[in-house]
Amino acid sequence: MILFPAIDLKNGQCVRLEQGDMARATVFNLDPAAQARDFETQGFEYLHVVDLDGAFAGKPVNAQAVESMLKVIKMPVQLGGGIRDLKTVEAWLSKGITRVIIGTAAVRDPALVKEAAKKFPGKVAVGLDARDGKVAVEGWAETSTVTALEIAQRFEDAGVAAIIFTDIARDGLLKGINWDATIALADSISIPVIASGGLASIDDIKAMLEPRAAKLEGAISGRALYDGRIDPAEALKLIKQAV
């Protein structure tokens, strides 16, 4: 079970949004590389990064910030935001990203996900961000007509490494992860699922370690780590004891 600390990039800075709204951004660190190094020093083993500007633009925007992080840390990094074609997938993997996350293109261009997953086994994850059960795209600016489960099922035999499932209604609000919906999704597919959106306290870490959540690969934590609601040492100790 992995606890992924999150770095969301906007204008080259490390921020957190509320419910995916770019107008409701809080800047937590002007230096993403320093933040990434702090997370590694605290003992985290896998970093989750999102290029927020890239998600809206449909192409990488914060590449310089991502590359600066890769230079100073050794832990693996999974990256999403603006990854809409095979060329971008290849470029990021060649620069040292461990796993790319395809979101909007997973809805609009499923063939891309299948091609990328086949070409780069274990290196491609799908990001499914749901609002009222329906998947949102284009940096959450638009809501599609399909459910997260419908999209996840498209990739059952494609070799996708993980599904990152976010409940937009909870994201950045510290209301706790929607464990029921996340675990229901995990129980319905064979692809490992990562929980995201609203992780609020050590209680969420404990919920992630319950037997019913055994199929999950882990969870992503953002704001709760930045504002001190979760003590990294305590969270990582709990996870280690549970393994």
Side-chain angles (χ1 to χ4, degrees), residues 100-131:
V100 296
I101 304 163
I102 300 176
T104 295
V107 179
R108 302 261 167 88
D109 186 10
L112 168 66
V113 175
K114 293 175 181 178
E115 184 181 4
K118 187 176 180 181
K119 191 169 185 180
F120 304 106
K123 299 281 188 180
V124 177
V126 169
L128 298 180
D129 308 320
R131 182 185 284 118

PDB file of all heavy atoms in Angstrom, residues 100-131:
ATOM      1  N   VAL A 100       3.323   7.513 -16.557  1.00  0.00           N
ATOM      2  CA  VAL A 100       2.509   8.638 -17.017  1.00  0.00           C
ATOM      3  C   VAL A 100       1.039   8.344 -16.741  1.00  0.00           C
ATOM      4  O   VAL A 100       0.614   7.185 -16.743  1.00  0.00           O
ATOM      5  CB  VAL A 100       2.696   8.927 -18.525  1.00  0.00           C
ATOM      6  CG1 VAL A 100       4.121   9.366 -18.812  1.00  0.00           C
ATOM      7  CG2 VAL A 100       2.315   7.728 -19.371  1.00  0.00           C
ATOM      8  N   ILE A 101       0.277   9.419 -16.492  1.00  0.00           N
ATOM      9  CA  ILE A 101      -1.150   9.284 -16.219  1.00  0.00           C
ATOM     10  C   ILE A 101      -1.920   9.940 -17.361  1.00  0.00           C
ATOM     11  O   ILE A 101      -1.739  11.127 -17.635  1.00  0.00           O
ATOM     12  CB  ILE A 101      -1.531   9.973 -14.893  1.00  0.00           C
ATOM     13  CG1 ILE A 101      -0.688   9.411 -13.739  1.00  0.00           C
ATOM     14  CG2 ILE A 101      -3.020   9.789 -14.606  1.00  0.00           C
ATOM     15  CD1 ILE A 101      -0.694  10.296 -12.491  1.00  0.00           C
ATOM     16  N   ILE A 102      -2.745   9.175 -18.011  1.00  0.00           N
ATOM     17  CA  ILE A 102      -3.561   9.695 -19.111  1.00  0.00           C
ATOM     18  C   ILE A 102      -4.989   9.855 -18.615  1.00  0.00           C
ATOM     19  O   ILE A 102      -5.600   8.902 -18.145  1.00  0.00           O
ATOM     20  CB  ILE A 102      -3.505   8.750 -20.335  1.00  0.00           C
ATOM     21  CG1 ILE A 102      -2.061   8.622 -20.827  1.00  0.00           C
ATOM     22  CG2 ILE A 102      -4.408   9.264 -21.454  1.00  0.00           C
ATOM     23  CD1 ILE A 102      -1.876   7.628 -21.974  1.00  0.00           C
ATOM     24  N   GLY A 103      -5.520  11.084 -18.707  1.00  0.00           N
ATOM     25  CA  GLY A 103      -6.851  11.367 -18.196  1.00  0.00           C
ATOM     26  C   GLY A 103      -7.846  11.659 -19.298  1.00  0.00           C
ATOM     27  O   GLY A 103      -8.599  10.780 -19.729  1.00  0.00           O
ATOM     28  N   THR A 104      -7.841  12.890 -19.794  1.00  0.00           N
ATOM     29  CA  THR A 104      -8.783  13.297 -20.842  1.00  0.00           C
ATOM     30  C   THR A 104      -8.716  12.371 -22.048  1.00  0.00           C
ATOM     31  O   THR A 104      -9.753  11.948 -22.592  1.00  0.00           O
ATOM     32  CB  THR A 104      -8.488  14.753 -21.285  1.00  0.00           C
ATOM     33  OG1 THR A 104      -8.757  15.620 -20.176  1.00  0.00           O
ATOM     34  CG2 THR A 104      -9.360  15.158 -22.463  1.00  0.00           C
ATOM     35  N   ALA A 105      -7.514  12.025 -22.484  1.00  0.00           N
ATOM     36  CA  ALA A 105      -7.366  11.177 -23.671  1.00  0.00           C
ATOM     37  C   ALA A 105      -7.911   9.765 -23.443  1.00  0.00           C
ATOM     38  O   ALA A 105      -8.269   9.076 -24.405  1.00  0.00           O
ATOM     39  CB  ALA A 105      -5.900  11.119 -24.100  1.00  0.00           C
ATOM     40  N   ALA A 106      -7.986   9.342 -22.179  1.00  0.00           N
ATOM     41  CA  ALA A 106      -8.553   8.016 -21.893  1.00  0.00           C
ATOM     42  C   ALA A 106     -10.037   7.986 -22.228  1.00  0.00           C
ATOM     43  O   ALA A 106     -10.593   6.939 -22.583  1.00  0.00           O
ATOM     44  CB  ALA A 106      -8.337   7.652 -20.429  1.00  0.00           C
ATOM     45  N   VAL A 107     -10.687   9.152 -22.127  1.00  0.00           N
ATOM     46  CA  VAL A 107     -12.102   9.260 -22.477  1.00  0.00           C
ATOM     47  C   VAL A 107     -12.255   9.486 -23.981  1.00  0.00           C
ATOM     48  O   VAL A 107     -13.075   8.849 -24.642  1.00  0.00           O
ATOM     49  CB  VAL A 107     -12.766  10.434 -21.706  1.00  0.00           C
ATOM     50  CG1 VAL A 107     -14.243  10.563 -22.087  1.00  0.00           C
ATOM     51  CG2 VAL A 107     -12.618  10.228 -20.206  1.00  0.00           C
ATOM     52  N   ARG A 108     -11.461  10.402 -24.515  1.00  0.00           N
ATOM     53  CA  ARG A 108     -11.607  10.814 -25.911  1.00  0.00           C
ATOM     54  C   ARG A 108     -10.918   9.888 -26.906  1.00  0.00           C
ATOM     55  O   ARG A 108     -11.330   9.785 -28.066  1.00  0.00           O
ATOM     56  CB  ARG A 108     -11.027  12.231 -26.067  1.00  0.00           C
ATOM     57  CG  ARG A 108     -11.689  13.265 -25.150  1.00  0.00           C
ATOM     58  CD  ARG A 108     -12.737  14.073 -25.914  1.00  0.00           C
ATOM     59  NE  ARG A 108     -13.607  14.844 -25.044  1.00  0.00           N
ATOM     60  CZ  ARG A 108     -13.340  16.068 -24.615  1.00  0.00           C
ATOM     61  NH1 ARG A 108     -12.209  16.642 -24.946  1.00  0.00           N
ATOM     62  NH2 ARG A 108     -14.210  16.703 -23.855  1.00  0.00           N
ATOM     63  N   ASP A 109      -9.826   9.251 -26.468  1.00  0.00           N
ATOM     64  CA  ASP A 109      -9.004   8.465 -27.390  1.00  0.00           C
ATOM     65  C   ASP A 109      -8.486   7.196 -26.699  1.00  0.00           C
ATOM     66  O   ASP A 109      -7.291   7.058 -26.434  1.00  0.00           O
ATOM     67  CB  ASP A 109      -7.826   9.335 -27.861  1.00  0.00           C
ATOM     68  CG  ASP A 109      -6.977   8.667 -28.936  1.00  0.00           C
ATOM     69  OD1 ASP A 109      -7.400   7.617 -29.461  1.00  0.00           O
ATOM     70  OD2 ASP A 109      -5.895   9.199 -29.239  1.00  0.00           O
ATOM     71  N   PRO A 110      -9.401   6.254 -26.397  1.00  0.00           N
ATOM     72  CA  PRO A 110      -8.998   5.025 -25.694  1.00  0.00           C
ATOM     73  C   PRO A 110      -7.885   4.264 -26.412  1.00  0.00           C
ATOM     74  O   PRO A 110      -7.059   3.601 -25.775  1.00  0.00           O
ATOM     75  CB  PRO A 110     -10.286   4.194 -25.652  1.00  0.00           C
ATOM     76  CG  PRO A 110     -11.400   5.168 -25.864  1.00  0.00           C
ATOM     77  CD  PRO A 110     -10.844   6.263 -26.721  1.00  0.00           C
ATOM     78  N   ALA A 111      -7.849   4.391 -27.722  1.00  0.00           N
ATOM     79  CA  ALA A 111      -6.824   3.674 -28.499  1.00  0.00           C
ATOM     80  C   ALA A 111      -5.419   4.123 -28.102  1.00  0.00           C
ATOM     81  O   ALA A 111      -4.467   3.334 -28.122  1.00  0.00           O
ATOM     82  CB  ALA A 111      -7.044   3.901 -29.997  1.00  0.00           C
ATOM     83  N   LEU A 112      -5.284   5.405 -27.744  1.00  0.00           N
ATOM     84  CA  LEU A 112      -3.977   5.917 -27.314  1.00  0.00           C
ATOM     85  C   LEU A 112      -3.501   5.199 -26.057  1.00  0.00           C
ATOM     86  O   LEU A 112      -2.338   4.784 -25.968  1.00  0.00           O
ATOM     87  CB  LEU A 112      -4.060   7.420 -27.043  1.00  0.00           C
ATOM     88  CG  LEU A 112      -2.850   8.023 -26.315  1.00  0.00           C
ATOM     89  CD1 LEU A 112      -1.606   7.951 -27.181  1.00  0.00           C
ATOM     90  CD2 LEU A 112      -3.121   9.451 -25.869  1.00  0.00           C
ATOM     91  N   VAL A 113      -4.409   5.044 -25.094  1.00  0.00           N
ATOM     92  CA  VAL A 113      -4.055   4.362 -23.847  1.00  0.00           C
ATOM     93  C   VAL A 113      -3.607   2.933 -24.137  1.00  0.00           C
ATOM     94  O   VAL A 113      -2.580   2.467 -23.625  1.00  0.00           O
ATOM     95  CB  VAL A 113      -5.245   4.351 -22.865  1.00  0.00           C
ATOM     96  CG1 VAL A 113      -4.910   3.530 -21.622  1.00  0.00           C
ATOM     97  CG2 VAL A 113      -5.620   5.774 -22.478  1.00  0.00           C
ATOM     98  N   LYS A 114      -4.364   2.251 -24.973  1.00  0.00           N
ATOM     99  CA  LYS A 114      -4.034   0.858 -25.284  1.00  0.00           C
ATOM    100  C   LYS A 114      -2.700   0.745 -26.004  1.00  0.00           C
ATOM    101  O   LYS A 114      -1.891  -0.146 -25.706  1.00  0.00           O
ATOM    102  CB  LYS A 114      -5.165   0.238 -26.122  1.00  0.00           C
ATOM    103  CG  LYS A 114      -6.465   0.109 -25.324  1.00  0.00           C
ATOM    104  CD  LYS A 114      -7.621  -0.401 -26.178  1.00  0.00           C
ATOM    105  CE  LYS A 114      -8.895  -0.495 -25.348  1.00  0.00           C
ATOM    106  NZ  LYS A 114     -10.064  -0.932 -26.111  1.00  0.00           N
ATOM    107  N   GLU A 115      -2.453   1.656 -26.930  1.00  0.00           N
ATOM    108  CA  GLU A 115      -1.182   1.645 -27.664  1.00  0.00           C
ATOM    109  C   GLU A 115      -0.016   1.948 -26.729  1.00  0.00           C
ATOM    110  O   GLU A 115       1.021   1.280 -26.766  1.00  0.00           O
ATOM    111  CB  GLU A 115      -1.230   2.680 -28.797  1.00  0.00           C
ATOM    112  CG  GLU A 115       0.011   2.670 -29.680  1.00  0.00           C
ATOM    113  CD  GLU A 115      -0.035   3.723 -30.777  1.00  0.00           C
ATOM    114  OE1 GLU A 115      -1.005   4.520 -30.824  1.00  0.00           O
ATOM    115  OE2 GLU A 115       0.907   3.768 -31.580  1.00  0.00           O
ATOM    116  N   ALA A 116      -0.188   2.958 -25.882  1.00  0.00           N
ATOM    117  CA  ALA A 116       0.880   3.344 -24.954  1.00  0.00           C
ATOM    118  C   ALA A 116       1.166   2.239 -23.941  1.00  0.00           C
ATOM    119  O   ALA A 116       2.327   1.937 -23.637  1.00  0.00           O
ATOM    120  CB  ALA A 116       0.501   4.634 -24.234  1.00  0.00           C
ATOM    121  N   ALA A 117       0.093   1.627 -23.416  1.00  0.00           N
ATOM    122  CA  ALA A 117       0.263   0.567 -22.418  1.00  0.00           C
ATOM    123  C   ALA A 117       0.940  -0.659 -23.015  1.00  0.00           C
ATOM    124  O   ALA A 117       1.707  -1.351 -22.340  1.00  0.00           O
ATOM    125  CB  ALA A 117      -1.093   0.197 -21.822  1.00  0.00           C
ATOM    126  N   LYS A 118       0.656  -0.905 -24.278  1.00  0.00           N
ATOM    127  CA  LYS A 118       1.282  -2.053 -24.965  1.00  0.00           C
ATOM    128  C   LYS A 118       2.758  -1.774 -25.220  1.00  0.00           C
ATOM    129  O   LYS A 118       3.616  -2.654 -25.069  1.00  0.00           O
ATOM    130  CB  LYS A 118       0.558  -2.309 -26.284  1.00  0.00           C
ATOM    131  CG  LYS A 118       1.009  -3.578 -27.003  1.00  0.00           C
ATOM    132  CD  LYS A 118       0.173  -3.801 -28.260  1.00  0.00           C
ATOM    133  CE  LYS A 118       0.636  -5.073 -28.986  1.00  0.00           C
ATOM    134  NZ  LYS A 118      -0.145  -5.286 -30.219  1.00  0.00           N
ATOM    135  N   LYS A 119       3.041  -0.544 -25.614  1.00  0.00           N
ATOM    136  CA  LYS A 119       4.429  -0.167 -25.944  1.00  0.00           C
ATOM    137  C   LYS A 119       5.285   0.001 -24.694  1.00  0.00           C
ATOM    138  O   LYS A 119       6.488  -0.281 -24.701  1.00  0.00           O
ATOM    139  CB  LYS A 119       4.429   1.123 -26.754  1.00  0.00           C
ATOM    140  CG  LYS A 119       5.775   1.465 -27.364  1.00  0.00           C
ATOM    141  CD  LYS A 119       5.673   2.594 -28.371  1.00  0.00           C
ATOM    142  CE  LYS A 119       7.020   2.835 -29.047  1.00  0.00           C
ATOM    143  NZ  LYS A 119       6.965   3.932 -30.043  1.00  0.00           N
ATOM    144  N   PHE A 120       4.658   0.465 -23.611  1.00  0.00           N
ATOM    145  CA  PHE A 120       5.400   0.720 -22.369  1.00  0.00           C
ATOM    146  C   PHE A 120       4.717   0.012 -21.204  1.00  0.00           C
ATOM    147  O   PHE A 120       4.039   0.648 -20.386  1.00  0.00           O
ATOM    148  CB  PHE A 120       5.476   2.228 -22.099  1.00  0.00           C
ATOM    149  CG  PHE A 120       6.081   3.024 -23.216  1.00  0.00           C
ATOM    150  CD1 PHE A 120       5.278   3.804 -24.042  1.00  0.00           C
ATOM    151  CD2 PHE A 120       7.451   2.987 -23.458  1.00  0.00           C
ATOM    152  CE1 PHE A 120       5.833   4.544 -25.071  1.00  0.00           C
ATOM    153  CE2 PHE A 120       8.016   3.726 -24.494  1.00  0.00           C
ATOM    154  CZ  PHE A 120       7.206   4.495 -25.311  1.00  0.00           C
ATOM    155  N   PRO A 121       4.873  -1.323 -21.096  1.00  0.00           N
ATOM    156  CA  PRO A 121       4.198  -2.098 -20.045  1.00  0.00           C
ATOM    157  C   PRO A 121       4.538  -1.575 -18.646  1.00  0.00           C
ATOM    158  O   PRO A 121       5.705  -1.304 -18.338  1.00  0.00           O
ATOM    159  CB  PRO A 121       4.751  -3.520 -20.251  1.00  0.00           C
ATOM    160  CG  PRO A 121       5.252  -3.547 -21.661  1.00  0.00           C
ATOM    161  CD  PRO A 121       5.724  -2.162 -21.953  1.00  0.00           C
ATOM    162  N   GLY A 122       3.488  -1.416 -17.826  1.00  0.00           N
ATOM    163  CA  GLY A 122       3.692  -0.980 -16.451  1.00  0.00           C
ATOM    164  C   GLY A 122       3.967   0.500 -16.286  1.00  0.00           C
ATOM    165  O   GLY A 122       4.174   0.984 -15.170  1.00  0.00           O
ATOM    166  N   LYS A 123       3.954   1.227 -17.397  1.00  0.00           N
ATOM    167  CA  LYS A 123       4.344   2.644 -17.353  1.00  0.00           C
ATOM    168  C   LYS A 123       3.173   3.597 -17.581  1.00  0.00           C
ATOM    169  O   LYS A 123       3.364   4.822 -17.576  1.00  0.00           O
ATOM    170  CB  LYS A 123       5.408   2.928 -18.425  1.00  0.00           C
ATOM    171  CG  LYS A 123       6.698   2.146 -18.266  1.00  0.00           C
ATOM    172  CD  LYS A 123       7.563   2.770 -17.192  1.00  0.00           C
ATOM    173  CE  LYS A 123       8.943   2.141 -17.124  1.00  0.00           C
ATOM    174  NZ  LYS A 123       9.755   2.787 -16.073  1.00  0.00           N
ATOM    175  N   VAL A 124       1.977   3.045 -17.801  1.00  0.00           N
ATOM    176  CA  VAL A 124       0.831   3.898 -18.148  1.00  0.00           C
ATOM    177  C   VAL A 124      -0.327   3.681 -17.162  1.00  0.00           C
ATOM    178  O   VAL A 124      -0.793   2.560 -16.977  1.00  0.00           O
ATOM    179  CB  VAL A 124       0.350   3.617 -19.587  1.00  0.00           C
ATOM    180  CG1 VAL A 124      -0.888   4.462 -19.909  1.00  0.00           C
ATOM    181  CG2 VAL A 124       1.461   3.908 -20.592  1.00  0.00           C
ATOM    182  N   ALA A 125      -0.748   4.769 -16.533  1.00  0.00           N
ATOM    183  CA  ALA A 125      -1.913   4.733 -15.653  1.00  0.00           C
ATOM    184  C   ALA A 125      -3.017   5.587 -16.266  1.00  0.00           C
ATOM    185  O   ALA A 125      -2.753   6.438 -17.115  1.00  0.00           O
ATOM    186  CB  ALA A 125      -1.555   5.252 -14.266  1.00  0.00           C
ATOM    187  N   VAL A 126      -4.237   5.353 -15.829  1.00  0.00           N
ATOM    188  CA  VAL A 126      -5.381   6.138 -16.314  1.00  0.00           C
ATOM    189  C   VAL A 126      -5.955   6.934 -15.147  1.00  0.00           C
ATOM    190  O   VAL A 126      -6.204   6.378 -14.074  1.00  0.00           O
ATOM    191  CB  VAL A 126      -6.465   5.220 -16.923  1.00  0.00           C
ATOM    192  CG1 VAL A 126      -7.754   5.995 -17.164  1.00  0.00           C
ATOM    193  CG2 VAL A 126      -5.966   4.605 -18.233  1.00  0.00           C
ATOM    194  N   GLY A 127      -6.129   8.235 -15.368  1.00  0.00           N
ATOM    195  CA  GLY A 127      -6.720   9.081 -14.340  1.00  0.00           C
ATOM    196  C   GLY A 127      -8.194   9.294 -14.613  1.00  0.00           C
ATOM    197  O   GLY A 127      -8.561   9.828 -15.663  1.00  0.00           O
ATOM    198  N   LEU A 128      -9.045   8.857 -13.708  1.00  0.00           N
ATOM    199  CA  LEU A 128     -10.492   9.023 -13.851  1.00  0.00           C
ATOM    200  C   LEU A 128     -10.998   9.916 -12.727  1.00  0.00           C
ATOM    201  O   LEU A 128     -10.957   9.552 -11.551  1.00  0.00           O
ATOM    202  CB  LEU A 128     -11.189   7.657 -13.808  1.00  0.00           C
ATOM    203  CG  LEU A 128     -10.809   6.685 -14.935  1.00  0.00           C
ATOM    204  CD1 LEU A 128     -11.559   5.381 -14.767  1.00  0.00           C
ATOM    205  CD2 LEU A 128     -11.093   7.293 -16.303  1.00  0.00           C
ATOM    206  N   ASP A 129     -11.426  11.096 -13.112  1.00  0.00           N
ATOM    207  CA  ASP A 129     -11.877  12.094 -12.152  1.00  0.00           C
ATOM    208  C   ASP A 129     -13.383  12.255 -12.299  1.00  0.00           C
ATOM    209  O   ASP A 129     -13.857  12.708 -13.340  1.00  0.00           O
ATOM    210  CB  ASP A 129     -11.170  13.425 -12.418  1.00  0.00           C
ATOM    211  CG  ASP A 129      -9.644  13.242 -12.497  1.00  0.00           C
ATOM    212  OD1 ASP A 129      -9.115  12.465 -11.683  1.00  0.00           O
ATOM    213  OD2 ASP A 129      -9.004  13.870 -13.358  1.00  0.00           O
ATOM    214  N   ALA A 130     -14.116  11.888 -11.276  1.00  0.00           N
ATOM    215  CA  ALA A 130     -15.572  11.827 -11.392  1.00  0.00           C
ATOM    216  C   ALA A 130     -16.279  12.952 -10.638  1.00  0.00           C
ATOM    217  O   ALA A 130     -15.917  13.298  -9.508  1.00  0.00           O
ATOM    218  CB  ALA A 130     -16.078  10.487 -10.884  1.00  0.00           C
ATOM    219  N   ARG A 131     -17.272  13.521 -11.309  1.00  0.00           N
ATOM    220  CA  ARG A 131     -18.165  14.501 -10.691  1.00  0.00           C
ATOM    221  C   ARG A 131     -19.569  13.920 -10.788  1.00  0.00           C
ATOM    222  O   ARG A 131     -20.068  13.670 -11.872  1.00  0.00           O
ATOM    223  CB  ARG A 131     -18.073  15.841 -11.430  1.00  0.00           C
ATOM    224  CG  ARG A 131     -18.940  16.929 -10.822  1.00  0.00           C
ATOM    225  CD  ARG A 131     -18.911  18.202 -11.660  1.00  0.00           C
ATOM    226  NE  ARG A 131     -17.667  18.951 -11.491  1.00  0.00           N
ATOM    227  CZ  ARG A 131     -16.802  19.205 -12.472  1.00  0.00           C
ATOM    228  NH1 ARG A 131     -17.031  18.755 -13.696  1.00  0.00           N
ATOM    229  NH2 ARG A 131     -15.712  19.907 -12.246  1.00  0.00           N
TER     230      ARG A 131
END
